[in-house]
Amino acid sequence: STSLTAAIRLDADNTEIIMNWTISEINSKLDDLLIRAQAEVAGVDLFAPLPPKEDCPICFLPLPLNDSEIVFSTCCGKLICEGCFYTNKMTIAENGLEYTCAFCRQPDPSDR
C-alpha cells in the first residue's frame, strides 16, 4: 500500500514531527472526522432563517445584517445603526460641541 509522509513543524520549540500514513489510514481519519462533523450538526436546521436583529434604540429601524454598519457604544452597551451614529456626529460637529453618545449622551469613554 502507498504511504504518505507529512512533516509538521511546531512553532513553540521548533520540533519537527514526521508522520507516515497509508492511504487507508488517511481515509479512516477522514471518515471519523466526517462522522463527528455530522453528529455536531445533527438536528440543526442549516437553512433556517436568521433570527431577527434587534432594532436601533434611536430610530427603531431593524439593525443592518452587516455588522460593519452597526456601532457599539461602550458607554451604555447599545448597538446603534450607522445612520443615527453619523447624524449625531454631524450635529455635534456642526454645533461645535464635545462628542457624546447618540443614545445616552455620555461623553466618549476614550476621552476620559
Side-chain angles (χ1 to χ4, degrees):
S1 82
T2 304
S3 177
L4 299 176
T5 301
I8 302 170
R9 184 173 296 275
L10 303 176
D11 289 336
D13 55 2
N14 215 17
T15 304
E16 193 170 274
I17 298 173
I18 308 284
M19 299 179 153
N20 291 308
W21 290 321
T22 65
I23 298 294
S24 63
E25 288 173 323
I26 293 172
N27 284 335
S28 175
K29 290 180 186 299
L30 289 173
D31 288 341
D32 290 343
L33 284 172
L34 181 60
I35 289 168
R36 284 199 319 226
Q38 288 172 335
E40 286 180 21
V41 297
V44 175
D45 184 2
L46 299 176
F47 299 101
L50 293 173
K53 285 230 177 191
E54 56 188 85
D55 295 340
C56 173
I58 297 171
C59 66
F60 300 107
L61 292 174
L63 289 172
L65 294 177
N66 185 351
D67 286 339
S68 69
E69 297 173 359
I70 300 171
V71 177
F72 177 73
S73 296
T74 56
C75 46
C76 57
K78 297 291 185 183
L79 295 174
I80 299 170
C81 73
E82 199 170 51
C84 289
F85 175 79
Y86 178 76
T87 300
N88 180 58
K89 194 171 182 177
M90 292 306 298
T91 302
I92 288 170
E94 288 170 0
N95 294 308
L97 304 170
E98 293 289 320
Y99 176 79
T100 58
C101 171
F103 183 76
C104 71
R105 298 293 179 209
Q106 293 296 313
D108 186 0
S110 63
D111 288 343
R112 293 181 197 165

